[in-house]
Amino acid sequence: MFIKKMGNVTSNVAAKLAFFPPDPPTYEVCREENGKLVMPGVTADKNMDVNLIDTKGGNKIVATFWRHPFARFTLLYSHANAADIGQMHELFYELRAHLRVNIMSYDYSGYGASSGKKEYGVKQEDLILYGQSVGSGPTLHLAARLPKLRGVVLHSAILSGIRVLYPVKMTFWFDIFKNIDKIRRVTCPVLVVHGTNDETVDWSHGKRLWELSKEKYEPLWVKGGGHCNLESYPEYIQHLNQFINAMEMNSIRRSKQLTPNRSITEPKHDKCLRFKKRVAALKKGCCIVPKNRSS
C-alpha cells in the first residue's frame, strides 16, 4: 500500500516538474568555415561565444558565454523549465548591460544541440550562481560544494520537488532537487527573488529558503508577481543591481583586509631595528649617535 502511494506521489511530481524543452528548439548551432560555433539569429554579438561541452556521463550540452568588457563578476545562469537559451538571449543582453557582468548559461540534457569542448577559467570568488525555478536545483547543488562563491541568486526557487505539490515535513530519498537541505550548506550571501502571486511555486518556498540561508541578503518579494514574469517589474533589475554592487564592495573590503598597510607597519619595523642596533652597540661598549636626536 505504501509503495503504491509513493508511486502515485512520484508520478504526480514527475507530471508537475516534467522537463518540457521547446520542440523544436528555438535555435540551432552551426560551425563557420573558421571553426567557430554560432547560433544564427542569436549571436550577432562579437562578445558572445557558443560552445559544446562534453559531460562525464557522455552527454553533450550547449553553453553560451556573454562577455562584458568591464565585467565585475560572472553570473552562471540555470534557466527554468520549458525554455532554452535561445529564448533567454534577450534577457542575457539586458542583464549583461545593466549589471556589468559576464553571463554564462547552458541547456540541460535534451534541450539543445551537440559537439566540441571549451573551458572557461573563472575563480569561485568571481562567480555568482543564478537559479530560476527548477534551475535552483543545480544552482544549490553546486553552491553547497563551492565554499568561496561570491553569491547566489534564487529566482522563484523550489524547496524540493515533492514540496511543490505537498507540504511534507521531511525529505524523502526519491525527492528531486533537495534545496531545503542544501541551502543550509551554502556559505555565501543569498538573494531570494519571488512573486507573491506565484501559482506554480508558492511564495512560501522562497520565504523558507531565505530563512534557512546562513548569510541572508535582503530578499525581493515582488508584489503581484507570478512565476514567469518577474523580469518585467522594474524593481527586479534594480534590486539585482544593488546585490551585484554589494558583492563588489564585499570583494573590495576583503582584498583590503588581505593587503598589509605598508605605510603603517614598515616605519614601526624600521624603528624597532634601530633600537635593537643601539642596544647591541651599548653592550659592546661603543656608542652610536642617532642621526636625529629629537626622534
Side-chain angles (χ1 to χ4, degrees):
M1 186 71 180
F2 175 78
I3 295 176
K4 184 178 180 181
K5 186 176 182 180
M6 287 301 100
N8 291 334
V9 170
T10 305
S11 63
N12 288 338
V13 172
K16 180 75 173 181
L17 295 177
F19 282 69
F20 295 107
D23 187 19
T26 64
Y27 68 94
E28 60 179 354
V29 175
C30 301
R31 191 180 297 275
E32 295 183 332
E33 292 182 359
N34 58 7
K36 183 179 180 180
L37 293 172
V38 296
M39 291 181 179
V42 176
T43 53
D45 189 329
K46 64 179 181 180
N47 290 321
M48 185 264 212
D49 293 331
V50 181
N51 294 282
L52 295 155
I53 302 176
D54 298 311
T55 68
K56 290 183 178 180
N59 296 321
K60 295 183 179 181
I61 60 174
V62 178
T64 58
F65 193 80
W66 307 71
R67 297 185 306 276
H68 190 289
F70 306 105
R72 299 176 284 180
F73 301 110
T74 294
L75 199 71
L76 178 57
Y77 197 111
S78 299
H79 64 70
N81 190 14
D84 61 26
I85 52 180
Q87 293 175 318
M88 304 293 294
H89 75 276
E90 291 185 1
L91 175 63
F92 295 156
Y93 275 129
E94 295 296 320
L95 292 178
R96 181 181 62 176
H98 288 285
L99 303 179
R100 197 156 53 86
V101 295
N102 299 320
I103 305 285
M104 184 174 181
S105 189
Y106 61 98
D107 265 339
Y108 312 121
S109 296
Y111 277 69
S114 317
S115 201
K117 183 177 181 180
K118 183 173 181 178
E119 296 180 355
Y120 295 98
V122 180
K123 296 179 181 178
Q124 283 189 47
E125 296 86 345
D126 297 331
L127 188 61
I128 295 174
L129 302 185
Y130 190 114
Q132 181 182 4
S133 188
V134 296
S136 60
T139 291
L140 285 176
H141 180 74
L142 187 57
R145 295 163 175 251
L146 300 178
K148 297 181 181 180
L149 285 173
R150 179 58 56 205
V152 168
V153 180
L154 299 176
H155 175 160
S156 303
I158 65 175
L159 284 168
S160 75
I162 287 181
R163 286 176 174 85
V164 174
L165 294 174
Y166 306 103
V168 296
K169 300 297 183 182
M170 62 181 292
T171 301
F172 296 95
W173 62 268
F174 53 83
D175 201 349
I176 59 173
F177 305 134
K178 301 177 179 68
N179 293 343
I180 191 172
D181 299 326
K182 293 180 180 179
I183 187 66
R184 307 167 199 262
R185 302 200 297 271
V186 177
T187 57
C188 64
V190 175
L191 164 63
V192 179
V193 181
H194 216 109
T196 59
N197 287 2
D198 191 329
E199 296 181 355
T200 303
V201 179
D202 191 76
W203 178 22
S204 59
H205 285 245
K207 290 168 66 178
R208 186 59 178 150
L209 286 170
W210 181 77
E211 290 169 357
L212 293 173
S213 301
K214 287 184 177 180
E215 193 169 344
K216 302 174 179 63
Y217 185 83
E218 181 183 358
L220 175 61
W221 311 130
V222 182
K223 293 182 180 180
H227 190 66
C228 299
N229 65 348
L230 301 187
E231 299 90 342
S232 64
Y233 288 79
E235 57 264 40
Y236 165 78
I237 197 68
Q238 293 169 3
H239 201 81
L240 199 54
N241 197 31
Q242 291 171 7
F243 177 72
I244 299 294
N245 289 337
M247 296 307 98
E248 185 175 28
M249 292 304 299
N250 286 348
S251 179
I252 293 172
R253 280 195 293 268
R254 288 180 184 179
S255 63
K256 284 184 177 180
Q257 290 173 357
L258 295 174
T259 304
N261 192 332
R262 294 173 177 259
S263 62
I264 296 175
T265 58
E266 287 188 0
K268 273 188 177 180
H269 183 63
D270 291 341
K271 192 171 184 178
C272 184
L273 286 177
R274 288 198 301 270
F275 176 76
K276 287 180 178 180
K277 286 181 180 179
R278 291 174 189 171
V279 172
L282 288 172
K283 286 182 178 180
K284 290 181 179 180
C286 59
C287 180
I288 297 179
V289 179
K291 293 181 179 179
N292 187 352
R293 293 182 179 275
S294 63
S295 62

